[in-house]
Amino acid sequence: MAILEVENVHTYYGHIHALKGLSLTVEQGEIVTLIGANGAGKTTTLNTISGLLRPREGRIRLRGEDLTTIPPHEIVARGVVQVPEGRRVFARLTVQENLEMGAYVQKDSRRVREGIERVFTLFPRLKERRQQLAGTLSGGEQQMLAMGRALMAQPKVLLLDEPSMGLAPVLVDSIFATIKRLNDDGATILLVEQNARMALQIAHRGYVLQTGEVVLSDTGENLRQNEMVRKAYLGIQ
């Protein structure tokens, strides 16, 4: 059984049919990426999985448990945690306070402390800035903080929405190296990323979305070699 299952999901924005019978699975320990043009439904898929949007039809399951009608904070408590597009850190709180906010589902103070130290090991720059207000961090540092905050909830599935958006190339490489490291340590990741080339380099599998539907799915390597993907998303003629 897949750890995460999205089955025949239809999601709307008012009268706009955004997801049209979308289905996908994520296995334990995988990186699965969603690629597609702007407006294809990638972020809508993540927001539907995390409960921020409600599908009119279909089911979302975590290890067989139906999450479809569960409130977003309960979905986090069950282990599905999203790092949103645009980072959305708590600008007026310090780095340390942001991480503590990410641990609100944790009841054990020892595990919270251990979680913070794990984040600081993963992102040493955050440790240097632990008492700095999050709103004064650089874009790359805010992305590190957003990812660290999500890790504080000890997710079973981590949803990453455009983690490289707006970052300098050297920071993009660093963020993708971190995603790979997290996966090597056992994290299961569903990744939405406009940089399809980088995403497919680290993903085990991928889905190509067009106007709310899956039009192609395969291994990351096979998608990198697919002629349609190469022309449409990798810029290779």
Side-chain angles (χ1 to χ4, degrees):
M1 177 188 297
I3 186 170
L4 180 67
E5 299 173 276
V6 177
E7 180 184 356
N8 192 35
V9 161
H10 293 258
T11 299
Y12 290 74
Y13 292 100
H15 296 297
I16 298 173
H17 197 175
L19 299 182
K20 304 168 184 175
L22 185 139
S23 296
L24 61 84
T25 60
V26 181
E27 302 289 340
Q28 180 78 43
E30 279 191 314
I31 299 175
V32 174
T33 189
L34 307 180
I35 62 175
N38 289 335
K42 305 184 301 295
T43 293
T44 301
T45 299
L46 296 193
N47 287 344
T48 302
I49 293 170
S50 61
L52 299 175
L53 295 170
R54 290 291 179 210
R56 292 190 190 177
E57 299 178 44
R59 287 288 177 265
I60 299 161
R61 299 182 183 89
L62 178 70
R63 290 180 173 167
E65 180 185 6
D66 194 340
L67 303 182
T68 313
T69 60
I70 294 177
H73 67 282
E74 290 291 342
I75 291 175
V76 171
R78 282 163 169 77
V80 179
V81 184
Q82 182 171 348
V83 179
E85 180 182 346
R87 300 177 273 278
R88 299 185 191 177
V89 297
F90 298 107
R92 296 185 181 182
L93 299 182
T94 65
V95 167
Q96 174 98 15
E97 290 166 338
N98 266 267
L99 296 178
E100 291 170 352
M101 289 291 286
Y104 79 94
V105 298
Q106 298 293 336
K107 307 301 181 186
D108 186 333
S109 59
R110 177 182 60 83
R111 294 183 72 180
V112 173
R113 291 194 300 272
E114 290 174 351
I116 290 175
E117 289 310 310
R118 180 193 177 207
V119 171
F120 286 159
T121 298
L122 194 63
F123 301 112
R125 198 176 304 180
L126 294 182
K127 186 172 185 177
E128 299 170 7
R129 291 158 172 72
R130 66 191 304 164
Q131 297 306 323
Q132 188 170 327
L133 294 181
T136 67
L137 299 176
S138 70
E141 290 164 348
Q142 289 188 13
Q143 185 62 54
M144 295 174 194
L145 180 55
M147 291 174 66
R149 183 180 61 190
L151 292 173
M152 290 298 298
Q154 298 187 342
K156 296 181 177 71
V157 180
L158 183 63
L159 310 179
L160 296 178
D161 194 356
E162 302 285 5
S164 75
M165 179 179 286
L167 301 184
V170 64
L171 290 176
V172 172
D173 291 341
S174 175
I175 288 296
F176 274 94
T178 300
I179 295 170
K180 183 66 168 61
R181 179 179 172 185
L182 287 171
N183 179 249
D184 289 343
D185 290 341
T188 301
I189 297 168
L190 180 58
L191 169 66
V192 162
E193 177 55 56
Q194 197 67 35
N195 189 333
R197 184 189 303 273
M198 294 288 286
L200 291 174
Q201 284 178 357
I202 66 170
H204 298 92
R205 293 188 299 113
Y207 293 85
V208 179
L209 271 61
Q210 290 181 3
T211 59
E213 299 179 87
V214 173
V215 296
L216 183 63
S217 64
D218 210 328
T219 65
E221 178 60 29
N222 285 347
L223 288 174
R224 286 171 62 194
Q225 302 304 323
N226 180 275
E227 184 176 357
M228 182 272 283
V229 172
R230 287 166 67 87
K231 289 182 178 179
Y233 304 112
L234 303 184
I236 301 173
Q237 299 302 317

